[in-house]
Amino acid sequence: MRIKTPILCMLTGLLLSLQLNAQSSGKTDPEFLKYQTSKWVDSIMNKLTPDERIAQLILVAAYSNRGEEHKQEILELIKEQKIGGLIFFQGDPETQAELMNDYQQAAEVPLIGAIDAEWGLGMRLDNTISYPFQMALGAIQNDDLIYKMGEEVARQVKRTGLHINLAPVVDVNNNPENPVINFRSFGEDKQNVTSKGIAYMKGMQDHKVLTTAKHFPGHGDTDTDSHYALPQINHPLERLDSLEMYPFKELIDAGIGGVMVAHLDIPALDSTGVPSTLSKPIITGILKERLGFNGLIVTDAMNMKGVTTGNEPGVVDKKAIVAGNDLLEFTEDVPRAIAEIRKAIRAGIITQKEIDERARKVLAVKQWVGLNDYSPTSTEDIVEELNTPEAILLNRKLVEASLTVLKNKNNLLPLHRLDTLKIASISIGEEKETVFQKSLSLYTEVKHFQLPVEADGSQIDSVKAELKDYNLLIAGIHDQSKYPRNSVSLSQEVQEFVKELSADEKTIIGLFKNPYVLNKFEDIEVSSVLIEAYQDSETTQEMTAQLIFGGIGATGKLPVSVGEKFRMGDGLEVKAINRFKYTIPEDAGMDSKVLYTKVDSLMNEAIDAKAIPGGQVFVAKDGKVVMYKAYGLHRYSDTIRVKKDDLYDLASITKISSALPALMKLHDEGKFDLNAGIDDYLSYFRNSNKAGVPFRQILAHQARFKPWIPYWKNTIRNNGSYKWNTFKKDSSARFPVKISEDLWLHRNYQKKIFRAIKKSPLEEEAKYKYSGLAFYLLPSIVEEITRQDFRRYINENFYDKLGATTLTYEPSAEFPLKRIVPTESDFFFRHKPIHGRVHDEGAIMMGGVSANAGLFANANDLAKLMQMYLNYGEYGGQRYISEETLKEFTRTQFPDNDNRRGLGFDKPNLEYQGEDNNTAKDASQNSFGHTGFTGTMVWVDPEVDLLYVFMSNRVLPTRDNTRLYKLNTRTKIQQVLYDAIKE
């Protein structure tokens, strides 16, 4: 039983005066206080009746999703009770801004508008950004990012017509079972909580949004939710002073404009048992007098059970005002609250002067935020202006900086030797493929599995049986609630499975949950790799996948301790390796509006003109993927939409993507000489007119070779039928080369192709003339040098290591046809639509494997090879080709002979040729790439570190469709990329 006497309260106050830390000599007063005696405030005060001055201290709850009846209720309170302001809850930004305009118009004195936006407007409003919860922010080591978040949240709050953000939470969360603060806190370390609270506060207040540090005197060490009951905190004064109240004192000294008081029972501060919101010893005695806070004191919501139990509406508001609060949040009965406060004045419990001082304080805030010169909030483009690319990028940066690697045995992260890994992923707590899993697949082939929350033993055994075929498992443990609660709802069988995974050295675990949950998983601390991601947003899932593969690094530190498993401050640094980072244009200094709008327009123009049925566009700058998008359909006549992972026929891009990297590697090893000829590697050519022609000239298309030979024409009789000794309808040992399902080529026909190349005449003059003849021979040359199968060689040395798993020949042997985009309807050779086989006739007669054509890929995988070129031979922390060799192969070889070509690579025209130019106007002379007959293009520019991939099937249904060339879509899009680069 508590003793409630005035003497005890006096003793408490005396102890407080002796034990509380002295005020800092560097204390900064809230900036708005200078307006308390301004002319504007004086003019308003002179107009207000005593009751209207009381009404200035009241914030009423408003919603933008409750319709006209609710609006009329608020308007009535504004007009009849003259309330001081509103606190907005659920709704959407357009409606909220419209309502606030209407409410301001109805008010005689401008209304202050507040909102709980601890993690941004997304906490309350649809179609707005939610930044990471404060627990995740507590892991960030760079407080400048927190300041920038404050700046951005302030901008967004003001854009919706409001002025106060009831944030930051500066409770020190030192109770893992805290049900109400928990993930809303920066953590358990008072210094970390303080520094981040100050950074967030300054970011907002520097941009004229008032903030309130909450929940004074500290709500972190309780296991009771004050929304439903009154929590009790039984710590001694010394502990409360040195820990719970520490952040509040520091923020007060730093100039915080407001402090929100919690509903708490704290005997050491007030032995009467009243909630702190109603406690004069706490609010007036400690907060005002001892801590010297003279800013705006705001109650926590006055409808919460922690304060309403035993207190009637209106009466409880009076008690809060008497205790020393300036602003009542969520008053439920405004007329009665005003009446009760008026009674208290008449009874001498509080004076009119005190009320007037508080009304002046509220009005001073209104002037500080600009309400003395009020203008309505425009609702035009409000959603777009709230969700700016800069705001989205900041969110991504915050998430990236928060990711915390708790275990990384043998430095497995980031993953390196992708060619040695057979990877599976499993999403635990999910029933569908997750964003995390889709993001993993951007880097290499990953087989995906899911285990739902209530999975039983048989489901788990089924998955385990399939996982045996993989030597690396990536497990994502997902949250099932909107917020990262400190709970686990997974079945006991699933939890046992997580324990097994933790003991498996070939498993990476990503926890998309509250860090305290780590203590609820048995033995999770023995995991080889363990990533704490804090929450289960799509952005967090994306970034965690990128961390695993080295697209980004990790610097986060655990902001709380987790039982005996992990200590506050744990976190290993992981450095990125130069694999792709998937992000937005602004992260690479590009303008997303220019990029997306203009590329979309050009692609839609091409599709509408039937230049192409669809396509893919991939753009990376500085190693950052800023656009990867699919457009249109596979065919004009069907409904299969192009997906980003669909494969396209690369056509002549094969020339720089297959044998050429092999030749560059062999050149590095001294096994391939640019001054040697074909005959030095294929003895069959020693007595030909091509003997001695150096590869430098061959690869630069200056070897006098004929452009092409229509091999297929020699296989057809005059009546249009196939020669019996060349083709059969069924396969056999003599006819093993598949041209189509019912067309098989003789096994020796490749020799005829080589013979035709050998016997073909040379052009008279050694000048630039594009020729594919030698590229038929290059795979055989690579095999002759390496004594290894060509496909195996390029797979093992390039594609597998790059994670470019769709970069392949003969794709229908590996991928379903629904993922392969069709090309031409062939009416002169194969006499059927071409789907899943190479379009080029010569390449298909080489069995689909040639360096002239034959490769397929999606844009993402082709881009990995091209980024390696752009990096002058390095990608993903691994060197493939020397910088010297790549620079040699990509430079113009014979400019004096009016030849723009590099070695294999195409280059920009030596002089710009306007609309007929082969590249964008702004492409540098150091840029290089290639185009393909099927409607493809790939180009990189080292001058601005820019990579561009364009995929289409313009030859469908016929190669005679040249609209893509006439529209010049590919190079127009390329120019957009340069236009989008910000100066």
Side-chain angles (χ1 to χ4, degrees), residues 132-164:
F133 300 121
Q134 286 189 197
M135 185 69 77
L137 299 179
I140 295 174
Q141 300 305 295
N142 177 8
D143 287 351
D144 287 345
L145 281 173
I146 312 299
Y147 177 86
K148 289 175 181 175
M149 175 180 160
E151 288 185 303
E152 181 55 36
V153 170
R155 184 190 71 82
Q156 294 181 30
V157 166
K158 291 195 295 185
R159 183 66 185 84
T160 59
L162 305 183
H163 321 96
I164 297 178

Side-chain angles (χ1 to χ4, degrees), residues 795-810:
N795 281 332
E796 290 181 354
N797 286 283
F798 296 99
Y799 306 160
D800 292 346
K801 292 180 179 180
L802 289 165
T805 54
T806 66
L807 194 53
T808 186
Y809 289 101
E810 301 181 284

Side-chain angles (χ1 to χ4, degrees), residues 26 93 138 184 274 300 357 402 445 548 576 625 710 716 724 945:
R184 296 164 62 197
V274 301
D300 206 344
E357 287 173 352
S402 73
E445 183 177 8
I548 290 170
V625 180
I716 298 177
W724 67 270
D945 206 353

Side-chain angles (χ1 to χ4, degrees), residues 63-179:
Y63 298 79
S64 53
N65 63 354
R66 290 196 176 179
E68 186 62 26
E69 183 177 349
H70 174 69
K71 177 181 178 180
Q72 293 305 318
E73 291 172 357
I74 299 297
L75 285 170
E76 184 177 342
L77 289 171
I78 293 169
K79 292 174 181 177
E80 296 186 5
Q81 304 299 324
K82 310 295 178 64
I83 58 174
L86 302 166
I87 174 169
F88 276 89
F89 290 90
Q90 289 81 14
D92 66 84
E94 302 102 319
T95 308
Q96 177 180 290
E98 289 170 359
L99 286 172
M100 194 59 177
N101 287 340
D102 291 344
Y103 296 150
Q104 293 286 22
Q105 187 176 6
E108 294 179 13
V109 177
L111 299 162
I112 198 81
I115 192 167
D116 269 311
E118 294 167 19
W119 51 86
L121 292 180
M123 181 174 176
R124 297 298 187 196
L125 301 180
D126 300 334
N127 306 318
T128 57
I129 295 173
S130 287
Y131 289 104
F133 300 121
Q134 286 189 197
M135 185 69 77
L137 299 179
I140 295 174
Q141 300 305 295
N142 177 8
D143 287 351
D144 287 345
L145 281 173
I146 312 299
Y147 177 86
K148 289 175 181 175
M149 175 180 160
E151 288 185 303
E152 181 55 36
V153 170
R155 184 190 71 82
Q156 294 181 30
V157 166
K158 291 195 295 185
R159 183 66 185 84
T160 59
L162 305 183
H163 321 96
I164 297 178
N165 187 4
L166 300 179
V169 173
V170 292
D171 300 310
V172 179
N173 199 85
N174 38 32
N175 187 336
E177 300 306 318
N178 193 320

Side-chain angles (χ1 to χ4, degrees), residues 406 518 525 530 558 561-568 570:
L406 294 172
L518 289 163
E525 69 276 12
L530 180 60
L558 203 61
S561 297
V562 183
E564 298 301 316
K565 295 182 177 182
F566 298 103
R567 306 310 302 164
M568 188 271 298
D570 284 354

Side-chain angles (χ1 to χ4, degrees), residues 27-36 201 205 210-211 251-259 292-296 361 364-365 368:
K27 180 175 176 293
T28 301
D29 279 336
E31 194 178 62
F32 74 82
L33 290 174
K34 65 185 179 182
Y35 295 111
Q36 278 185 291
M201 174 268 286
Q205 290 194 172
L210 192 83
T211 65
L251 266 75
I252 288 168
D253 286 351
I256 186 89
V259 170
F293 181 64
N294 49 17
L296 196 69
K361 196 183 291 187
V365 171
W368 181 73

